[in-house]
Every structure is written in structure tokens, then in C-alpha cells.
């Protein structure tokens, strides 16, 4: 919705009829979806191969006269890295474009980190160029899916999110979001969760999760053959290996009962830590299993991938990414097909 809103704002305020948005390669695919839905050209900017953060100068270089908005993540999902929102703020001011801060993952952590003892640089409406912030309540807000939030700096910008049909025989129909009818139960449950936690509860939950993430990172750094990807400071931690095939470790950990995400470009393993992981012994068990798997992999670091690990590796090596896209679309086509033959 934020991209639709920025598109309509830029069309009215600046006369832009061929809009584009500029975002890091690590930005969530929801921005690609928005670009496809609303006919916005999307420009992906590579991230630093060592830090996994986007370089502000590269973002600035990608902006042109049709750019309506740039995007920064707090944090991005794959590696848990925060983009430099202060630098992006300066760029957005210089080029007079919107700045959307994607805090869908960290939105119920980063506001409480300073009180929890982990201060961050400004990332929100304290920065004058930030025009919108997205937050998912169903992640660290600890409530059900379906109640995500988009915040705008001004009600004038929000105005462009609203659609209105005035000539329908059924009456005047105006709607502020994609969904026409929305379940009130989700809103009620979200309100109840927030009232139950309260500010102090969210601060304490944030403190636990951040401490756990840093404990996990410290443990990973001591394991031979394993390397933490970048310097995450929030709840997500990713690791890789320059010695052995990390997808083989992923298969090992799956067999041990862990449900972890795999990454590509480059290959890695990712975990988004939650309060459940803070139960006594959970992170220590994960580190023990990673340590055992690494020891096995180091005995034969050149071992070929097999099973799911081989599938992930093969998909990442297909040079024509349109083929991968076609296969993924074919999956969903078959999933929803009513043809049982």
C-alpha cells in the first residue's frame, strides 16, 4: 500500500507517470510484488559483499528523475542487517523522494531496544525524510497474522492510499486499504496482545531476544568452518561457510529437528530468534548441533550436496532466473488447480 500511495502522490505532486522505486537487493520481495501490482519499475541495488548492508552511495547513484521512493530495512530479513537509515534520509532529502522504512520484521523490537539497553541510531519519523514505516504486529508484537500496519508521516500522504468510487449504484464506496471487508477479530486480538504485554513487557521481551541473538553469534564465531554473515544487531542471525557446502549443514540440522531457513546469493542458513528460543538450553542445543555438524563437514569439505541441499544449490546456479520464476509459478498454478486428472 505504501508503494501505491507514493506512486499516486508522485503523479499528482511531481507529474511522474513512469515511476520507479530503488531498494537494496535484500529488501523484502513484497516490494517486487507491489511493483508488479502497481506497474512501478523496481531498481535493485547490490549490497556490500562483506557487510550485507547497502552502500548509500550506490542507492544515490540509482536514483533518477522518475524515482518516487527509496527503501531501507530495519532490519532486512536474510541476514538481519540494518540499512543506514540516516544516510538514506540525507539522500531522500537531497533528491526529494520518499523514504519507506521497512520495519515489518523489527518493528516491535527496535522501538524498545534503547530501553532494553541496546541503543540504535534514529530510524523513524525523527528523521525528516522518512515518509512511511511498515510494521508487522504478528512477529514481535506476538499476535495473529492479518493486522500489519503502515504508518505515514502526514495525513496528506495517506490520502493517496484511499480509493473512492462515487458512481456505483450501490452507493458511494471509499476504502483505505486493499481489503474491502476486514476481520475485526484480528484487530481485537492485536489490541488485547498489546495491552497484555504493555510497554514494559515489550521492553523485557526485546531484551531477552537481543541477548539471545548475541549469545548465538558469539557461539557461532567459535565454531571452526562457520562464519556469521555480516554484523546483525537485532534478532536474525545468518551463517555460512567458505570451507564446506553450507546446504549440507542445513540438511543435518533439519534431521535433528531444527526448522531453519536457507539463503542464496550467497548460500547460508538463517534463524529469526523469538521468545521460544529463549527457553533454557535451546540456543545451547542449537550451537551444539551446529558444532557437531561442522565437525562432520570439515572431515570431507568437498562433499557433494544431496537431497534438499542439492536442490537448493542447483536452483541458485541456474543463470536464467526466469526459469526459476516459471517453476515457482507453475507450483502455485498446480496447487490451486481444480483439475484432479
Amino acid at each position: 500500500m505504501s508503494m501505491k500511495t507514493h506512486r499516486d502522490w508522485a503523479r499528482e505532486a511531481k507529474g511522474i507517470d513512469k515511476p520507479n522505486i530503488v531498494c537494496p537487493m535484500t529488501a523484502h520481495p513484497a516490494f517486487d510484488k507491489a511493483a508488479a501490482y502497481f506497474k512501478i519499475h523496481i531498481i535493485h541495488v547490490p549490497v556490500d559483499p562483506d557487510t550485507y548492508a547497502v552502500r548509500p552511495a550506490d542507492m544515490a547513484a540509482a536514483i533518477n528523475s522518475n524515482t518516487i521512493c527509496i527503501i531501507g530495512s530495519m532490519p532486512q530479513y536474510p541476514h538481519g542487517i540494518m540499512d543506514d537509515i540516516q544516510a538514506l534520509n540525507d539522500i531522500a532529502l537531497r533528491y526529494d523522494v520518499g523514504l519507506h522504512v521497512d520495519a515489518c520484521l523489527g518493528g516491535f523490537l527496535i522501538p524498545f531496544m534503547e530501553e532494553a539497553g541496546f541503543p540504535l541510531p534514529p530510524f523513524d519519523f525523527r528523521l525528516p525524510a522518512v515518509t512511511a514505516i511498515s510494521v508487522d504486529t504478528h512477529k514481535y508484537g506476538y499476535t495473529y497474522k492479518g493486522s500489519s500496519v503502515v504508518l505515514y508521516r502526514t495525513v496528506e500522504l495517506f490520502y493517496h492510499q484511499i480509493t473512492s468510487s462515487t458512481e456505483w449504484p450501490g452507493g458511494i464506496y471509499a476504502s483505505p486499504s486493499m481489503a474491502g471487508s476486514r476481520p475485526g477479530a484480528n484487530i481485537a486480538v492485536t489490541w488485547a496482545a498489546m495491552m497484555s504485554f504493555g510497554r514494559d513487557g515489550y521492553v523485557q521481551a526485546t531484551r531477552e531476544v537481543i541477548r539471545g541473538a548475541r549469545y548465538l553469534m558469539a557461539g557461532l564465531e567459535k565454531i571452526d568452518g562457520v562464519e556469521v554473515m555480516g554484523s546483525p544487531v537485532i534478532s536474525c542471525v545468518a551463517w555460512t561457510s567458505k570451507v564446506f557446502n553450507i546446504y549440507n549443514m542445513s540438511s543435518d540440522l533439519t534431521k535433528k529437528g531444527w526448522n531453519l531457513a536457507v539463503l542464496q546469493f550467497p548460500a547460508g542458513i538463517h534463524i529469526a530468534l523469538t521468545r521460544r528460543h529463549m527457553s533454557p538450553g535451546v540456543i545451547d542445543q542449537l550451537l551444539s548441533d551446529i558444532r557437531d555438524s561442522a565437525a562432520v563437514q570439515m572431515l570431507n569439505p568437498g562433499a557433494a550436496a544431496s537431497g534438499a541441499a542439492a536442490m537448493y544449490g542447483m536452483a541458485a546456479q541456474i543463470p536464467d532466473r526466469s526459469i526459476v520464476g516459471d517453476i515457482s509459478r507453475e507450483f502455485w498454478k498446480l496447487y490451486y488447480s481444480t483439475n484432479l486428472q
Side-chain angles (χ1 to χ4, degrees):
M1 291 310 304
S2 176
M3 297 302 99
K4 182 266 183 196
T5 300
H6 282 87
R7 181 200 66 178
D8 290 359
W9 161 79
R11 183 167 53 206
E12 180 178 295
K14 305 174 74 175
I16 295 176
D17 58 5
K18 295 181 180 179
N20 69 62
I21 56 176
V22 176
C23 66
M25 284 292 298
T26 49
H28 196 278
F31 293 101
D32 294 86
K33 183 188 288 188
Y37 281 175
F38 303 124
K39 293 182 172 55
I40 300 171
H41 177 57
I42 186 167
I43 301 171
H44 295 102
V45 178
V47 297
D48 186 290
D50 297 318
T51 67
Y52 299 97
V54 72
R55 289 176 286 240
D58 293 344
M59 289 286 286
I63 294 172
N64 59 41
S65 60
N66 286 321
T67 300
I68 61 172
C69 186
I70 62 176
I71 290 96
S73 303
M74 283 295 291
Q76 41 99 320
Y77 171 84
H79 319 102
I81 305 300
M82 299 185 306
D83 290 323
D84 188 343
I85 305 300
Q86 286 183 297
L88 297 182
N89 171 80
D90 295 341
I91 292 168
L93 285 176
R94 187 189 321 154
Y95 291 97
D96 187 27
V97 296
L99 171 55
H100 179 100
V101 176
D102 179 13
C104 283
L105 178 58
F108 273 80
L109 292 172
I110 54 179
F112 308 110
M113 283 183 64
E114 184 167 357
E115 290 182 62
F118 306 97
L120 296 174
F123 55 83
D124 50 21
F125 293 126
R126 289 171 292 177
L127 299 174
V130 174
T131 48
I133 304 172
S134 52
V135 179
D136 278 350
T137 50
H138 66 261
K139 294 188 173 80
Y140 295 97
Y142 304 107
T143 186
Y144 290 127
K145 291 186 177 182
S147 59
S148 298
V149 177
V150 58
L151 307 170
Y152 293 108
R153 172 174 288 277
T154 67
V155 70
E156 289 77 18
L157 182 58
F158 168 67
Y159 174 87
H160 294 281
Q161 180 172 301
I162 303 166
T163 61
S164 178
S165 298
T166 61
E167 306 306 313
W168 182 43
I172 298 171
Y173 183 91
S175 177
S177 64
M178 291 282 284
S181 300
R182 301 182 64 196
N186 274 354
I187 298 172
V189 169
T190 298
W191 177 86
M194 294 176 70
M195 293 301 102
S196 176
F197 269 86
R199 187 176 188 88
D200 290 344
Y202 282 121
V203 170
Q204 180 57 30
T206 297
R207 184 179 295 115
E208 294 171 4
V209 169
I210 302 304
R211 283 177 176 172
R214 299 192 179 187
Y215 182 79
L216 175 61
M217 283 187 287
L220 288 170
E221 289 169 351
K222 298 176 183 177
I223 299 176
D224 192 23
V226 171
E227 180 180 302
V228 175
M229 303 178 80
S231 300
V233 297
I234 305 184
S235 60
C236 293
V237 181
W239 62 96
T240 188
S241 178
K242 295 180 179 177
V243 182
F244 55 82
N245 189 326
I246 197 69
Y247 291 147
N248 285 333
M249 173 179 281
S250 173
S251 294
D252 281 351
L253 295 174
T254 298
K255 293 174 185 176
K256 293 177 184 290
W258 295 101
N259 184 14
L260 305 173
V262 293
L263 307 176
Q264 60 178 353
F265 310 132
I269 300 174
H270 153 110
I271 185 171
L273 292 161
T274 69
R275 295 178 74 216
R276 293 293 297 273
H277 297 111
M278 302 308 115
S279 299
V282 173
I283 296 180
D284 285 323
Q285 184 61 56
L286 176 58
L287 284 168
S288 176
D289 289 343
I290 294 172
R291 193 177 300 112
D292 291 347
S293 178
V296 171
Q297 302 303 324
M298 292 293 282
L299 294 175
N300 186 15
S306 60
M311 180 186 70
Y312 290 128
M314 178 185 68
Q317 292 175 16
I318 296 175
D320 185 350
R321 305 309 294 170
S322 67
I323 296 175
V324 180
D326 289 342
I327 293 172
S328 62
R329 289 185 180 91
E330 192 68 23
F331 167 83
W332 284 112
K333 186 182 79 173
L334 293 172
Y335 187 89
Y336 282 101
S337 174
T338 57
N339 183 359
L340 302 181
Q341 300 301 319

